[in-house]
């Protein structure tokens, strides 16, 4: 509830600053809630003006779009002629003359420091050293701790700033090692907090005391300052989006629809904590824009196909349409079930009600490879293997496997299998889809230096397809279970499905999902030749479609 209050407050403040006499109820709801995901706002004609833009603001990049006069979504390129701009900004404050230099996107990430900026970097470092380590938690937090550094690009990614002199690998948060060294995956660790290592002195009884009240208060104040620092970054990025739109449209832009990142390689709880919706709405206001709607990525993706769904709804005599959205990439996957919720007699934009939703974060590819390891190992133990007269050659990891699992034959065999399966998985991306000669080729999977099991490429593909079909069905069932939807309350009919697959399975996902959903001839896959099935593009189109709804409701074609 506090999030909704914060969003409504941001909208109200923005509207008051733009149109003092205007009043409106907040159209913004909490992402992932199971209420209507699009609320018809009571916007007076005098409230919204000009073209409303859609901003897809992801953790790593953002895009700006609108619907042009031909009713096509147009994504606005930046100065580098890219439709995506990295969501990073570099802020360089020079204390000697009180000037500020701001770099956006690629410039923020790639431009090297000049001599003046190098001196500033050293000065900040020397000043911070005076306060290390913290000795008195009751003293004010020094401002120098939160001064923007000239050699860092600040954003909302997994690392809130990138040191230009380093390269960070981004690890998916799909596993967690517990105190006992046990690896847990997916739901098993959703409610577990990662182990935190903090220094402390041991008392006489051998116990490490917890943080003091002063330390807790100190930590709270630091988080507040970190939030304000992020808010500054978001405000500057939103201002950049506004500037890009105004340059393209050649008019004042004051209103926007924005998406919040939800389909990531990180746990949703962490994503929500790092980038709460209030951060986006407050950032929009700071950037000179009024937030009319905050969309989660999954609903924005479905709303990209609003014209198709609305047409089908009218053809069905106003019967609500049910849509399944499935997203898959190399790190994670998510499935959502939506139902349209509006009276077609009203000239109203499509509204969605969330029926079920489930996001899962370990890699689908890795889980399928583990299933393949078990399948091939069972073939081996059943006697379906072949022995060689001489040990295999050309194995880069064999020596490491032999040394690491010499006392456990089963683990050694499975390690050999994992090694070969990873290699074949990589090669399978280049296999022809429908080629009998290619399908008949054999692939060897070793379980030792002299024994292997064999599959044809067709058998490999058949296993993949059967596993994915079972997995997709389980994902849909899990979405209903996690959302508390009883079997009798589940939709009896699925009208549309949308697949955004950025994994190596993309050529098969649609046909498999169609089978999972019943395979009815009336089941419609949402496709549009103008929208490439990449998450960023689909979400950007959805944000622009919602923005266009507000644009068309405006009685004024331009903002003062």
């Amino acid at each position: 509830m506090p999030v909704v209050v914060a969003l409504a407050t941001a909208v109200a403040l923005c509207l008051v600053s733009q149109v003092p006499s205007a009043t409106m109820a907040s159209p913004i709801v909490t992402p992932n809630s199971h209420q209507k995901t699009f609320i018809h706002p009571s916007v007076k004609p005098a409230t919204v003006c000009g073209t409303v833009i859609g901003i897809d603001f992801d953790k790593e990049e953002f895009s700006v779009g609108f619907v042009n006069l031909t009713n096509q979504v147009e994504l606005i390129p930046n100065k580098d002629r890219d439709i995506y701009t990295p969501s990073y900004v570099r802020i360089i404050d020079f204390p000697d003359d009180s000037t500020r230099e701001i770099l956006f996107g690629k410039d923020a990430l790639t431009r090297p420091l000049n001599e003046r900026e190098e001196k500033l970097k050293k000065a900040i470092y020397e000043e911070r050293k005076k306060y290390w380590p913290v000795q008195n938690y009751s003293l004010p937090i020094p401002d120098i701790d939160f001064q923007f550094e000239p050699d860092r690009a600040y954003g909302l990614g997994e690392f809130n700033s990138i040191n230009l002199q380093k390269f960070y690998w981004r690890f998916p948060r799909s596993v967690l090692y517990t105190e006992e060294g046990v690896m847990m995956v997916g739901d098993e660790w959703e409610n577990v907090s990662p182990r935190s290592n903090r220094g402390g002195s041991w008392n006489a009884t051998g116990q490490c005391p917890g943080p003091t009240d002063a330390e807790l208060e100190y930590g709270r104040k630091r988080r507040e300052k970190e939030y304000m620092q992020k808010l500054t970054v978001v405000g500057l990025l939103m201002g950049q989006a506004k500037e890009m739109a105004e340059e393209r449209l050649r008019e004042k832009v004051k209103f926007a629809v924005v998406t919040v990142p939800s389909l990531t390689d990180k746990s949703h709880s962490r994503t929500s904590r790092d980038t709460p919706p209030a951060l986006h709405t407050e950032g929009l206001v700071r950037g000179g824009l009024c937030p009319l709607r905050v969309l989660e990525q999954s609903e924005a993706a479905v709303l990209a196909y609003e014209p198709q769904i609305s047409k089908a709804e009218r053809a069905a005599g106003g019967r609500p349409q049910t849509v399944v959205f499935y997203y898959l990439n190399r790190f994670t996957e998510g499935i959502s079930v939506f139902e349209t919720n509006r009276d077609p007699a009203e000239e109203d934009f499509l509204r969605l009600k969330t029926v079920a939703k489930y996001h899962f974060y370990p890699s689908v590819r890795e889980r399928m490879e583990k299933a393949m390891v078990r399948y091939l190992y069972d073939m081996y133990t059943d006697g379906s293997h072949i022995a060689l007269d001489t040990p295999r050659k050309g194995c880069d990891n064999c020596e490491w496997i032999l040394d690491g699992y010499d006392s456990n034959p089963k683990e050694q065999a499975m390690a050999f299998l994992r090694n070969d399966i990873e290699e074949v998985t990589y090669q399978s991306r280049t296999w022809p889809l429908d080629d009998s000669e290619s399908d008949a080729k054999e692939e060897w999977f070793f379980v030792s230096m002299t024994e292997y099991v064999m599959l044809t490429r067709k058998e490999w593909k058949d296993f993949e397809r059967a596993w994915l079909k079972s997995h997709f069905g389980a994902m849909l069932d899990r979405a209903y279970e996690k959302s508390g939807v009883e079997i009798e309350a589940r939709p009896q009919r699925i009208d549309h499905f949308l697949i955004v697959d950025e994994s190596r399975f993309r050529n098969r996902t649609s046909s498999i999902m169609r089978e999972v959903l019943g395979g009815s001839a009336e089941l419609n896959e949402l496709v549009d030749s103008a929208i490439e099935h990449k998450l960023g593009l689909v979400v950007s189109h959805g944000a622009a479609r919602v923005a266009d709804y507000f644009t068309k409701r405006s009685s004024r074609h331009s903002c003062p």
Side-chain angles (χ1 to χ4, degrees), residues 226-253:
E226 287 170 358
Y227 181 85
M228 295 307 297
Q229 191 177 55
K230 278 190 175 183
L231 188 56
T232 299
V233 171
V234 175
L236 289 170
L237 290 169
M238 295 296 187
Q240 179 70 4
K242 179 180 188 295
E243 184 179 319
M244 289 168 56
E246 290 180 338
E247 183 176 347
R248 166 64 183 85
L249 296 168
R250 300 193 179 188
E251 65 176 76
K252 286 284 185 182
V253 174

Side-chain angles (χ1 to χ4, degrees), residues 435-453:
D435 188 312
S436 57
E437 183 178 348
S438 173
D439 288 348
K441 290 184 178 180
E442 299 176 349
E443 299 291 341
W444 291 8
F445 303 91
F446 280 85
V447 291
S448 69
M449 292 297 290
T450 57
E451 297 173 302
Y452 69 90
V453 291

Side-chain angles (χ1 to χ4, degrees), residues 67 71-73 303-304 306-307 349 540-549:
V67 175
N71 200 35
Q72 298 298 312
V73 172
L303 290 172
E306 191 272 344
F349 192 82
S540 299
H541 277 67
R545 285 290 176 194
V546 179
D548 186 54
Y549 162 73

Side-chain angles (χ1 to χ4, degrees), residues 282-436:
E282 292 176 35
L284 276 169
V285 174
R286 285 199 171 203
L289 293 166
C290 285
L292 293 178
R293 182 70 174 87
V294 175
L295 293 167
E296 190 189 10
Q297 286 178 317
S298 55
E299 54 186 316
V302 172
L303 290 172
Y305 299 88
E306 191 272 344
Q308 288 187 40
I309 301 172
S310 294
K311 182 179 179 180
E313 188 182 56
R314 289 191 295 271
R319 178 180 56 79
Q321 303 288 289
T322 304
V323 185
V324 171
F325 167 69
Y326 180 66
Y327 169 65
L328 173 68
N329 69 6
R330 57 179 297 205
F331 296 120
T332 183
E333 61 184 324
I335 192 165
S336 301
V337 182
F338 295 105
E339 186 179 88
T340 61
N341 184 38
R342 60 112 177 261
D343 182 355
E346 297 181 7
E347 292 298 327
D348 191 7
F349 192 82
L350 185 70
R351 288 182 281 180
L352 300 176
K353 180 179 72 175
T354 304
V355 177
K357 185 174 295 183
Y358 182 54
H359 294 164
F360 199 60
Y361 299 93
S363 165
V364 178
R365 177 186 61 81
E366 290 178 3
R367 277 178 282 150
M368 197 205 70
E369 287 179 359
K370 289 177 182 178
M372 179 67 84
V373 168
R374 292 191 293 270
Y375 175 70
L376 293 177
Y377 184 77
D378 288 343
M379 287 180 59
Y380 167 64
T381 56
D382 290 343
S384 301
H385 62 276
I386 303 170
L388 295 175
D389 295 330
T390 58
R392 69 181 295 189
K393 298 179 181 180
C395 176
D396 295 334
N397 297 323
C398 285
E399 185 175 344
W400 174 81
I401 294 172
L402 291 170
D403 292 340
Y405 299 96
D406 59 343
S407 61
N408 192 324
K410 179 180 179 180
E411 289 297 324
Q412 187 179 90
M414 297 184 84
F416 272 111
L417 288 171
R418 281 195 299 271
N419 182 67
D420 289 342
I421 286 171
E422 287 179 4
E423 184 175 343
V424 173
T425 297
Y426 180 79
Q427 295 173 354
S428 66
R429 295 181 297 180
T430 62
W431 294 351
L433 289 179
D434 297 305
D435 188 312
S436 57

Side-chain angles (χ1 to χ4, degrees), residues 265-277:
D265 58 348
K266 300 170 66 176
S267 74
H268 176 69
S269 59
R270 180 180 172 102
T271 302
S272 299
R273 184 171 68 249
D274 287 354
T275 56

